[in-house]
Amino acid sequence: LAPRLRAADWSTLFTAQDVRDHLATAQGRAEALEFCRQLGLSKVYIETFRDNYQADAETLKAARDFFRQAGLTVSGCVTTTRFGKVTTGWDVGSCYTHRANQERLASIFRFTAGLFDEIMIDDFFFTDCECSECAAAKGAMSWRQYREKLMLEVSRERVLGPARQANPNVKVILKYPQWYDQFHERGYVVDKETELYDRIWV
């Protein structure tokens, strides 16, 4: 028999806080699986980091293996929000000029790639910071030019590089937010980032 074709595949995301609050026990994982089955979901993204909280490695492994054994496709996710030095703009974001933030970012992606072969970066991988560090690093460039340069460098050196060192098979998805008229103001460089990352999510 020919394989049954699906018109669409549906997925969901469990945040890092969901991992802590709902996937840390056998009962919680069973309830989450029932939720997925009721909605006909075939893939789950299990998030390792959000809002300066990193989920426990053993809990992440248990959830990953549980969903895989249940027949779902499982990938990781990172939401790069509210860690370290925040931006002078929208406080959900972080200052990526700040060296300690860059090092923390590399650590997060190294950790996540050690657990998953596919990682999605959720909507908030941006910068709108105008702190003194950013202003000094910007020099004569416009804010747009500096942010594009910065986020491409951070992508290569603090996301993709560390992730691939930890797991040579990892694929990293950049999920673009629906900020179409503001991409250039927040460091998204759609053409160059699409070439840089393994996959994109729109």
Side-chain angles (χ1 to χ4, degrees):
L1 294 175
R4 185 168 68 91
L5 298 177
R6 296 170 63 99
D9 287 309
W10 299 94
S11 60
T12 194
L13 165 67
F14 293 106
T15 68
Q17 288 76 12
D18 288 333
V19 172
R20 178 192 64 206
D21 299 338
H22 302 290
L23 302 183
T25 65
Q27 179 181 343
R29 292 189 290 271
E31 290 171 355
L33 177 61
E34 180 60 21
F35 165 82
C36 292
R37 286 182 168 155
Q38 286 180 0
L39 293 181
L41 306 177
S42 59
K43 182 174 184 177
V44 294
Y45 290 90
I46 300 177
E47 192 176 74
T48 64
F49 185 92
R50 176 183 291 253
D51 289 348
N52 204 31
Y53 173 74
Q54 184 167 298
D56 172 73
E58 293 307 313
T59 304
L60 289 162
K61 289 176 188 176
R64 177 197 66 191
D65 295 347
F66 173 80
F67 285 113
R68 282 179 179 170
Q69 290 165 9
L72 278 69
T73 302
V74 182
S75 294
C77 183
V78 171
T79 300
T80 53
T81 48
R82 293 194 173 97
F83 69 93
K85 179 183 175 184
V86 299
T87 75
T88 58
W90 188 15
D91 68 359
V92 73
S94 296
C95 172
Y96 290 111
T97 303
H98 192 59
R99 181 54 60 93
N101 282 10
Q102 291 189 15
E103 292 171 356
R104 179 73 177 113
L105 191 70
S107 172
I108 293 164
F109 279 93
R110 212 175 284 117
F111 171 79
T112 307
L115 297 167
F116 299 98
D117 288 335
E118 183 179 72
I119 304 166
M120 179 172 70
I121 305 174
D122 206 6
D123 284 348
F124 300 98
F125 188 46
F126 77 99
T127 186
D128 58 0
C129 191
E130 295 185 7
C131 74
S132 59
E133 282 185 88
C134 287
K138 177 180 81 70
M141 287 182 280
S142 69
W143 281 112
R144 172 180 179 170
Q145 289 171 330
Y146 175 64
R147 288 170 180 154
E148 290 184 354
K149 175 179 178 290
L150 174 65
M151 296 309 288
L152 288 170
E153 288 176 355
V154 169
S155 291
R156 283 190 293 264
E157 298 170 13
R158 304 299 185 169
V159 174
L160 297 170
R164 290 167 179 165
Q165 288 169 4
N167 180 356
N169 297 318
V170 75
K171 303 296 181 187
V172 183
I173 305 167
L174 180 61
K175 180 172 179 275
Y176 289 111
Q178 295 179 15
W179 300 344
Y180 308 119
D181 59 342
Q182 295 179 321
F183 282 149
H184 64 287
E185 295 174 358
R186 291 176 169 168
Y188 279 104
V189 197
V190 175
D191 56 345
K192 294 182 176 66
E193 285 178 325
T194 297
E195 290 178 2
L196 196 60
Y197 283 87
D198 300 293
R199 297 167 184 152
I200 62 168
W201 194 105
V202 178

